[in-house]
Amino acid sequence: MKESFVVKVVAYILILLCMMVTVLSGILIYINASNQWYTKDYDACMHDIYQEMLEYACYQLDDTIASYESDTVASEETTIEDENGDVVASSSTTYDLKGLGDTEDELLYGERNADGFAYTITKPEKDQSGNVNTVTVREVHPELVKYAKESNGFLTDNIVHNDMTISVYMIKDPDAGNLPDTVFMKYRSMEKIYKYRVEAIVAAALCSIMALCLFIFMVTTVGRRKQEDERSILAKTPAEIVLLLACIAVMFTLEAAFGSNYENNFDMLCTAVAAATLVITSIALGAVLFLVIKLRNHNLWSSSVLCLLYRIIKWAAGHAKRFFGGFPLVWKTVLVVTVILLFNLAALGIMSGSAWFLWAGAIFVLAVLTAQKMKRLKEGGRHLAEGDLSYQIDTKDLRGDLLDHAENLNHIREGISAAVEEQMKSERFRSELITNVSHDIKTPLTSIINYVDFLKKEEIDNEQAKEYIGVLDRQATRLKKLTEDLVEASKAATGNVKLEMIPCRVGVLMMQVMGEYKEKTEAADLTMIPSQPEEDLEILADGRSLWRVFDNLLNNICKYSQPGTRVYQTLERQDDKAVIIYRNVSAYELNTSEDELMERFVRGDKSRHTEGSGLGLSIAQNLVELQGGSFRIHIDGDLFKVIIEFPLYHGGPLAVTIPEK
C-alpha cells in the first residue's frame, strides 16, 4: 500500500479537503471567540447579531449616500470679510441632496418590500427667520417608523453622515418580517456562524489531526520507488526554482481570492477561503513532497542552482590557480596591487562617493582577513620554534601560497617529530644496550674480583707479583664501580627506577652523608662548612636515591676540589621550597659549559687526571628530577656550584610508590 500510486493520490486529496475544513472551521472559531459567543447565553448572542445587523445597515446606507453625493456635488460661493469689511476669501462646497428623497432607487436592495425594516435620513436646515429645523431628506416605511418608536419589538440605531443623521429600525425577530436582501444575508451568515460554533471546534480538531497523519504518511512513503534516475526531469529540476514558482503561485492565489471585500458576505468569503486553501495547500504540499523526494534521492544539493554556481566558481578558481600557480609570490603581489589600484583609479570617475567607500571597505576587510591568516602562520612558526611539536596549524580558509606555507610548516613539524622519535628510539636502544652489556660484564668481573681476593690471601714471596695483584685489585674494583654506574645511569635516564616516596628530613640526611665523607674530605685537605636553618625541612623523596645524589656530589667534590679550600654545604628555605647548595673550588680549569658538564662521560672525555666514570652528575640530575625536584649547575671561574630544589612536604600521604617503567 505504501508504494501504491492510487493510495498516495487519495491521501493527497484528503489532505487538501482536511486543510480546507480546518481553515473554514478556524474562521468560525475566531469569529465566535472574538464575540465571546462561547461564554454568552443565547439571548445575548442574538442581541449581538441584531446589533451587528443594525450597524451593517447603517454603514451600507452611509456608503450609498456617500456615492450619491459624489455624483450630485454643487458649489455655491460664500464670502468671508475681515474687520474692515474687505473680502478675504470666498467659496464653499455643498451637496445637492434635494433629489435624494424623491428618487425611486433603493439605497438598500429590497428595502421597498421589507416590512420589518425602516429608516429615516434627516438634516438640520435654517429657515428665513434663522431658526434651525430638522428636515427629513428620505424616509422608507414611515408608518413602520412610527410604530417602531411606540413598540418594544423593534431595534434602532443611528449614524451621523456629515450633517445628516441616518436612523435605522428593524424588527427583533428577522424571520418574522422581511428585511432588505443585503441585511438578511448578513443575518443568515452570522446565524450560521453562531449555530455551528461547537461543530467548528470538533471539525478543526479532527481534520487537523487527520491532515497531520496523512502528511506523515505521504512524507514517509513518497519517493521510495526508484523510478527517477539521474536523467529524469524531477532529478534535474533545481529546488530553488520550484520554491520560487511555488511562492509566486501562492501570492497570485491570495491576490485573486482576497482581492475583493467579503466582510459582509459570509458565503462568498467561505468560497474564496476554500478555493485559496485548496490551491495554497496543494502548492505547499507539492513543494514539500518534492523536497522530500530530493532528500531521499540524495540530489537536493547536486541539482540546485547554488551547486551549479559553486561548480562554476570552483572551475574558474581552479583554472586561475593553475594559470597563476607558477608565478612567484612577489609578482603575484605586484599583479594584485596593480589591479586594485587601476580599478580604484577607474572607480573614482565612475562610482559615486558611497559606492567608492564600499569598494574601499571591501579592500580593507580583505587586507584584515589576509593579515589574520598571516598571523596564524606566524603563531604556528613561533610554537614550532619553541619546541611545541604537537602544534598543528589550522589550514581552514587558507588559499594559495598561504595554504602552501602552512602545509610546509606542518610537514616540518612532522619531520622534526620523526627525527625526535628516531633519536629517542636510538637513546632507548643505547640505554638498553648499556644495561645488557653491563649485566653481561658483571659475571666474569665478579669471578675476577673473587680470584684476585684469593690471590691476596695466598703467601706469595715475590714482591713484584704482589704489586701486580694490587693493580688487578684496584682496576677490577674500578671496573666494577664503572659497571654499576653505567647500569644506574641507564636506569635513571629511562626512569626505570623504583622509588619509595616518603617524608624525609633532608637536613639530617645531608649531615649523615657529610659524616660518612669526613675521612675522605680530610684526606683531600678540604674543610666542610655546613649551614642549615633551625627548623627541620621535610620533603617527599626516596631516601636511598637521595643518599645516592649526595654521595655522588661529595665524591666529585673530594676528587676535583682544590686542596686547602673550603666546601660549603647549605640548606635553606626559599618560599615553599627546600634549596640545597654545594659550593667548591675546582682544582682544574673549568673550560666547559654547565650543559656540557651535565652530559654523561664528560670527565672521561675532557680529563684523565682522576679515576671515575664521568656519570656522577648525570645520575644525580636524573634521580633528582625523578623525585620531582630540579638540579642546576652554575660555574663562575673556578667556583663550582650545584643547586637542588625540592618542594616542601606539609603532610598528606605517608608513602608514594613510583614503579619502574
Side-chain angles (χ1 to χ4, degrees):
M1 186 178 68
K2 291 183 178 181
E3 296 185 357
S4 174
F5 179 76
V6 176
V7 173
K8 294 177 183 179
V9 171
V10 172
Y12 190 90
I13 296 173
L14 289 177
I15 290 177
L16 299 181
L17 295 177
C18 290
M19 289 300 299
M20 182 181 66
V21 174
T22 301
V23 172
L24 292 175
S25 300
I27 294 175
L28 266 65
I29 294 171
Y30 172 76
I31 296 175
N32 281 277
S34 61
N35 290 311
Q36 300 180 355
W37 289 348
Y38 286 107
T39 57
K40 292 182 180 180
D41 57 12
Y42 175 78
D43 293 336
C45 293
M46 294 305 299
H47 180 271
D48 291 343
I49 294 174
Y50 298 154
Q51 192 65 36
E52 189 164 345
M53 289 169 56
L54 278 174
E55 294 176 358
Y56 169 71
C58 289
Y59 284 110
Q60 286 290 312
L61 289 171
D62 182 70
D63 292 341
T64 304
I65 293 173
S67 61
Y68 183 85
E69 288 176 343
S70 63
D71 296 332
T72 59
V73 174
S75 297
E76 65 180 12
E77 188 172 338
T78 59
T79 60
I80 301 176
E81 300 179 351
D82 58 10
E83 296 177 353
N84 300 324
D86 298 329
V87 177
V88 176
S90 65
S91 76
S92 85
T93 301
T94 59
Y95 298 100
D96 184 12
L97 300 175
K98 295 180 180 179
L100 183 62
D102 299 333
T103 181
E104 296 181 358
D105 296 336
E106 293 183 338
L107 300 185
L108 295 177
Y109 185 74
E111 65 181 25
R112 297 294 183 185
N113 299 323
D115 53 5
F117 180 84
Y119 67 86
T120 60
I121 302 174
T122 59
K123 179 183 179 182
E125 288 186 356
K126 291 183 179 181
D127 56 13
Q128 296 179 353
S129 302
N131 298 324
V132 178
N133 299 319
T134 301
V135 178
T136 301
V137 178
R138 182 182 178 87
E139 188 173 33
V140 176
H141 299 302
E143 69 284 356
L144 194 62
V145 172
K146 181 179 180 181
Y147 177 75
K149 292 180 178 179
E150 298 174 355
S151 173
N152 294 328
F154 277 77
L155 297 172
T156 181
D157 196 4
N158 59 75
I159 187 173
V160 177
H161 177 85
N162 292 333
D163 57 347
M164 293 184 296
T165 301
I166 303 171
S167 301
V168 178
Y169 305 90
M170 185 184 71
I171 193 170
K172 285 186 178 180
D173 186 4
D175 292 326
N178 294 328
L179 295 176
D181 294 347
T182 55
V183 178
F184 189 74
M185 289 174 61
K186 178 69 174 179
Y187 167 73
R188 285 303 184 195
S189 298
M190 299 302 297
E191 186 185 37
K192 290 178 182 178
I193 293 173
Y194 172 73
K195 180 179 180 181
Y196 297 109
R197 64 190 184 283
V198 178
E199 290 82 350
I201 297 177
V202 177
L206 293 178
C207 289
S208 60
I209 295 174
M210 185 176 179
L212 179 61
C213 295
L214 291 171
F215 176 75
I216 295 174
F217 169 78
M218 291 290 291
V219 169
T220 55
T221 57
V222 72
R224 288 187 175 274
R225 295 170 57 181
K226 303 294 183 179
Q227 296 179 349
E228 298 85 13
D229 56 12
E230 294 297 330
R231 297 172 296 178
S232 65
I233 298 177
L234 185 63
K236 294 181 179 181
T237 304
E240 295 91 339
I241 295 178
V242 173
L243 293 178
L244 179 62
L245 294 177
C247 292
I248 295 174
V250 168
M251 288 189 294
F252 274 108
T253 301
L254 292 175
E255 178 65 24
F258 302 104
S260 302
N261 184 14
Y262 302 112
E263 179 184 359
N264 301 312
N265 193 329
F266 183 72
D267 293 335
M268 291 295 295
L269 175 63
C270 291
T271 303
V273 170
T277 302
L278 283 174
V279 176
I280 294 174
T281 304
S282 177
I283 294 171
L285 183 59
V288 171
L289 295 179
F290 173 79
L291 294 178
V292 171
I293 293 174
K294 284 282 190 180
L295 289 172
R296 185 156 289 158
N297 293 335
H298 306 288
N299 61 353
L300 178 62
W301 167 252
S302 60
S303 63
S304 65
V305 176
L306 293 177
C307 181
L308 178 61
L309 293 176
Y310 172 76
R311 290 174 180 174
I312 293 174
I313 294 173
K314 186 177 180 181
W315 175 84
H319 281 70
K321 183 178 180 181
R322 283 192 292 271
F323 179 75
F324 293 105
F327 281 33
L329 179 60
V330 176
W331 286 106
K332 289 180 183 177
T333 306
V334 170
L335 179 62
V336 172
V337 173
T338 302
V339 171
I340 292 175
L341 292 177
L342 291 176
F343 189 85
N344 191 43
L345 183 62
L348 290 175
I350 299 175
M351 292 184 179
S352 61
S354 58
W356 184 86
F357 277 110
L358 290 176
W359 162 251
I363 298 299
F364 175 78
V365 171
L366 180 62
V368 171
L369 293 176
T370 304
Q372 288 180 343
K373 295 174 182 178
M374 294 180 67
K375 180 182 178 182
R376 194 190 308 174
L377 297 178
K378 180 181 177 182
E379 190 73 13
R382 183 182 64 82
H383 278 276
L384 294 176
E386 292 176 353
D388 185 5
L389 301 182
S390 62
Y391 187 81
Q392 181 73 30
I393 299 176
D394 185 11
T395 58
K396 183 180 179 181
D397 300 330
L398 295 180
R399 298 291 184 273
D401 293 299
L402 295 179
L403 177 60
D404 295 338
H405 186 42
E407 290 178 347
N408 289 335
L409 289 177
N410 286 337
H411 291 157
I412 290 175
R413 181 192 67 83
E414 295 171 359
I416 294 176
S417 299
V420 171
E421 180 65 26
E422 185 66 26
Q423 184 178 0
M424 293 177 64
K425 182 179 179 181
S426 176
E427 185 70 20
R428 288 193 298 269
F429 175 75
R430 185 171 65 176
S431 299
E432 292 174 359
L433 178 62
I434 292 173
T435 303
N436 295 333
V437 172
S438 300
H439 280 291
D440 293 339
I441 293 174
K442 276 186 177 181
T443 300
L445 182 58
T446 302
S447 298
I448 292 172
I449 292 174
N450 290 336
Y451 279 104
V452 169
D453 189 54
F454 291 154
L455 289 174
K456 287 169 60 177
K457 294 178 182 179
E458 293 292 331
E459 294 291 338
I460 300 176
D461 297 333
N462 190 334
E463 293 297 328
Q464 191 172 8
K466 289 182 179 181
E467 184 178 350
Y468 293 160
I469 293 172
V471 172
L472 286 174
D473 186 30
R474 289 194 304 274
Q475 296 302 325
T477 303
R478 180 184 176 187
L479 184 58
K480 179 181 179 182
K481 182 67 168 60
L482 176 60
T483 304
E484 291 174 350
D485 287 346
L486 284 172
V487 175
E488 193 70 25
S490 176
K491 289 183 177 181
T494 58
N496 193 16
V497 179
K498 183 178 181 181
L499 300 177
E500 190 74 22
M501 307 292 285
I502 60 175
C504 177
R505 291 191 294 174
V506 63
V508 175
L509 186 60
M510 291 174 63
M511 295 303 295
Q512 290 176 351
V513 177
M514 190 180 73
E516 291 288 334
Y517 273 84
K518 182 178 181 181
E519 294 182 0
K520 295 185 69 173
T521 54
E522 290 177 352
D525 194 14
L526 299 174
T527 303
M528 296 292 296
I529 301 178
S531 176
Q532 294 187 7
E534 294 181 358
E535 61 175 329
D536 289 334
L537 300 181
E538 281 192 339
I539 63 173
L540 197 63
D542 178 68
R544 183 179 60 83
S545 298
L546 193 57
W547 179 283
R548 179 64 187 273
V549 172
F550 296 149
D551 180 62
N552 285 4
L553 292 177
L554 289 177
N555 188 39
N556 278 3
I557 289 172
C558 292
K559 289 180 181 180
Y560 303 118
S561 294
Q562 177 71 32
T565 59
R566 299 181 183 88
V567 177
Y568 294 90
Q569 175 183 278
T570 305
L571 173 64
E572 58 186 29
R573 176 172 184 167
Q574 295 181 5
D575 296 333
D576 200 34
K577 293 182 179 180
V579 181
I580 305 163
I581 304 174
Y582 284 93
R583 290 186 290 258
N584 68 290
V585 179
S586 176
Y588 309 102
E589 181 182 359
L590 296 175
N591 55 2
T592 58
S593 65
E594 290 88 345
D595 294 335
E596 289 177 335
L597 279 175
M598 293 303 299
E599 295 179 3
R600 284 175 277 179
F601 307 107
V602 167
R603 190 222 59 83
D605 294 338
K606 301 293 184 181
S607 174
R608 296 292 180 183
H609 297 292
T610 60
E611 296 182 356
S613 62
L615 296 171
L617 292 179
S618 177
I619 294 173
Q621 180 192 23
N622 290 329
L623 290 176
V624 168
E625 292 177 351
L626 286 174
Q627 296 176 82
S630 65
F631 188 99
R632 304 194 311 273
I633 290 178
H634 180 69
I635 298 175
D636 187 4
D638 292 336
L639 177 64
F640 182 82
K641 181 165 67 174
V642 176
I643 304 172
I644 302 173
E645 294 182 357
F646 281 102
L648 290 174
Y649 174 73
H650 299 291
L654 295 179
V656 177
T657 301
I658 300 179
E660 299 179 4
K661 293 183 180 179

